[in-house]
Amino acid sequence: GSGSYAGYGQSQLPDEEEGGAEEGEGEEDDVQMWSKSGVDLFIAEVSADPDSILSVGRGETVTVRIPTYEAGSALYWEFATENYDIGFGASFEWEESEGEGEAEEEGEGKEGGKKTRREAILPILRRSSHEKVITGSHAYPRPGTYLLMFDNSYSLLRSKTVFYRVFYTR
């Protein structure tokens, strides 16, 4: 009866680490989000690189496109804002051949054979990025491009400055 329930969560863990999560199902589960303190220090560090500073106008959404890197296996992101929160979400985009992908030899001359697919991996939600550095990671599902969306569409008066950093892990 009650004893079998207690051990359920524990027996789950070792399998996951041995590559049980290789299936393409439930990609949302692959996103990990956490936060850390030290917004001021983070902003000071990141400000040294002008490409890491993003201005998001009032009522705007700015999308940063980051291609997967051949030698990498996961994308990490960190961001913070000064004084106010911002919406943040992520999608993943990839090109898919018409048909399966093994059938590519037949129609090599065809230009229209690919279509771009997009999948939301993290819904856009307002994040308290002015209080904590918002950090997250996602294991590459396949070669493609990440779309990191900084959403300020709810703010009619204030533009926001986002300080962000992305990197990959092997």
Side-chain angles (χ1 to χ4, degrees):
S2 61
S4 62
Y5 180 77
Y8 178 73
Q10 294 161 333
S11 64
Q12 208 66 0
L13 285 172
D15 297 351
E16 299 262 17
E17 283 167 356
E18 323 252 330
E22 296 281 73
E23 314 298 299
E25 276 149 33
E27 245 120 41
E28 270 94 340
D29 303 343
D30 298 343
V31 176
Q32 299 186 316
M33 290 282 285
W34 62 97
S35 59
K36 58 186 189 185
S37 54
V39 167
D40 296 343
L41 183 65
F42 176 80
I43 287 176
E45 268 177 41
V46 171
S47 297
D49 177 8
D51 290 340
S52 296
I53 304 171
L54 200 62
S55 182
V56 184
R58 54 188 192 177
E60 281 185 354
T61 298
V62 173
T63 301
V64 179
R65 300 177 67 89
I66 293 145
T68 55
Y69 185 69
E70 263 181 59
S73 64
L75 179 76
Y76 279 74
W77 58 83
E78 301 179 307
F79 70 92
T81 47
E82 288 177 319
N83 308 322
Y84 305 104
D85 65 355
I86 196 154
F88 174 76
S91 292
F92 187 77
E93 212 173 65
W94 71 98
E95 284 199 342
E96 202 171 69
S97 306
E98 296 290 348
E100 268 330 287
E102 271 106 63
E104 275 186 80
E105 288 91 55
E106 291 170 25
E108 272 188 41
K110 267 195 221 149
E111 278 305 305
K114 289 189 184 296
K115 59 175 188 246
T116 300
R117 298 273 315 270
R118 183 185 290 191
E119 177 177 69
I121 54 174
L122 197 65
I124 293 179
L125 295 171
R126 287 173 71 167
R127 317 279 176 179
S128 301
S129 49
H130 56 306
E131 293 168 357
K132 300 183 193 98
V133 180
I134 307 295
T135 317
S137 73
H138 187 254
Y140 293 172
R142 59 180 65 79
T145 303
Y146 282 94
L147 284 71
L148 303 183
M149 290 158 289
F150 295 98
D151 178 10
N152 195 29
S153 59
Y154 58 87
S155 183
L156 302 177
L157 301 175
R158 294 191 181 94
S159 56
K160 312 278 170 72
T161 302
V162 177
F163 300 86
Y164 77 99
R165 189 160 54 185
V166 292
F167 45 96
Y168 67 88
T169 53
R170 290 178 193 282

